[in-house]
Amino acid sequence: MPAITLGWPESSKMGFDLVFPAADIPFCGARLNWVTMPDQFTLAAYADLLPPDPLPDFIQIALISSHAPWVPIPDMAPWDQVGDGTIFSPMAAAGPTPRELWKDYNNVRDQDRLAIDYTLQATLTHVARPGDNAPLVLIIGDHQAADFVAGSDNRDVPVHMIGPQAVIERINNWEWTAGLIPAADLPALRMDKFRNRFLETFSSRKVLAEVSEQ
């Protein structure tokens, strides 16, 4: 959780066995304004933080490179050169300062788009690396940018599911859109409804019974 820089007592109520705040993620590069570390580094580093465990892991990773102020936006590095993150340090001083950028809202909107593009590049190339051994991955938007950036007060966010074909075939009856852009006429699904559908699709009856009792 690279955005967690203070205490987060709420995590104990969320069922996490382990929580890794920014201080526990071994990033040695320079901070990028509000962003403590680039998304590519977070994705490259998290697996090494996990203790050995024969059971499957359920991992939540909060990516923050697409968070305001959207400057600087790092370049993608070769995955085998990410290392301790110092490769990103020269990028920390690239581009305008937040004060300079935010004088022009059109430029802010452009940077927002570029930041989202970077996060998607980091995420999708990371997911592609395991090949046939890829896990099931959910990419869920946190929230829309401010109204003047998003151009809308819509609070809906995209959700993408990526994984082995045999796993993804389980949601064929969900009528989701293939690709990155949901169909315009696809109805929005509340998060609690999505959670229930996800559990029903991917859990055993025993697990569902245990969840319903909690």
Side-chain angles (χ1 to χ4, degrees):
M1 304 293 278
I4 302 299
T5 58
L6 301 173
W8 188 32
E10 297 86 353
S11 64
S12 63
K13 303 294 185 181
M14 298 181 181
F16 292 113
D17 293 323
L18 297 169
V19 176
F20 298 98
D24 291 341
I25 304 173
F27 179 65
C28 297
R31 184 181 177 121
L32 291 82
N33 287 318
W34 184 88
V35 176
T36 56
M37 63 195 72
D39 290 345
Q40 187 182 10
F41 180 84
T42 302
L43 292 168
Y46 77 87
D48 292 335
L49 299 175
L50 302 176
D53 186 349
L55 298 176
D57 293 311
F58 186 94
I59 302 169
Q60 176 179 315
I61 303 174
L63 300 177
I64 57 175
S65 291
S66 57
H67 193 287
W70 305 304
V71 64
I73 299 171
D75 297 322
M76 287 291 295
W79 282 98
D80 59 359
Q81 296 180 26
V82 170
D84 64 1
T86 52
I87 191 173
F88 299 105
S89 291
M91 306 174 195
T97 66
R99 182 182 294 274
E100 292 168 340
L101 174 68
W102 282 67
K103 291 178 180 179
D104 187 326
Y105 283 175
N106 288 325
N107 289 339
V108 172
R109 296 184 189 101
D110 289 340
Q111 286 294 109
D112 175 46
R113 286 190 289 268
L114 292 173
I116 293 173
D117 180 74
Y118 165 78
T119 292
L120 287 174
Q121 284 189 60
T123 303
L124 296 178
T125 55
H126 169 71
V127 171
R129 296 181 74 205
D132 293 338
N133 295 319
L136 178 64
V137 175
L138 294 174
I139 304 174
I140 303 177
D142 180 18
H143 59 79
Q144 296 276 7
D147 295 356
F148 77 89
V149 178
S152 167
D153 61 359
N154 190 325
R155 293 296 180 259
D156 295 341
V157 296
V159 179
H160 304 292
M161 194 177 301
I162 303 172
Q165 182 175 348
V167 178
I168 295 300
E169 285 177 352
R170 294 193 183 190
I171 68 168
N172 283 346
N173 64 345
W174 289 21
E175 299 181 349
W176 278 23
T177 308
L180 285 176
I181 303 177
D185 59 350
L186 195 66
L189 186 66
R190 283 179 21 170
M191 287 301 296
D192 58 339
K193 301 295 185 183
F194 168 77
R195 175 201 62 204
N196 294 346
R197 180 181 287 186
F198 181 81
L199 290 174
E200 290 168 359
T201 301
F202 292 101
S203 300
S204 67
R205 292 184 180 275
K206 178 181 178 181
V207 170
L208 289 173
E210 292 174 350
V211 171
S212 65
E213 292 173 358
Q214 295 178 359

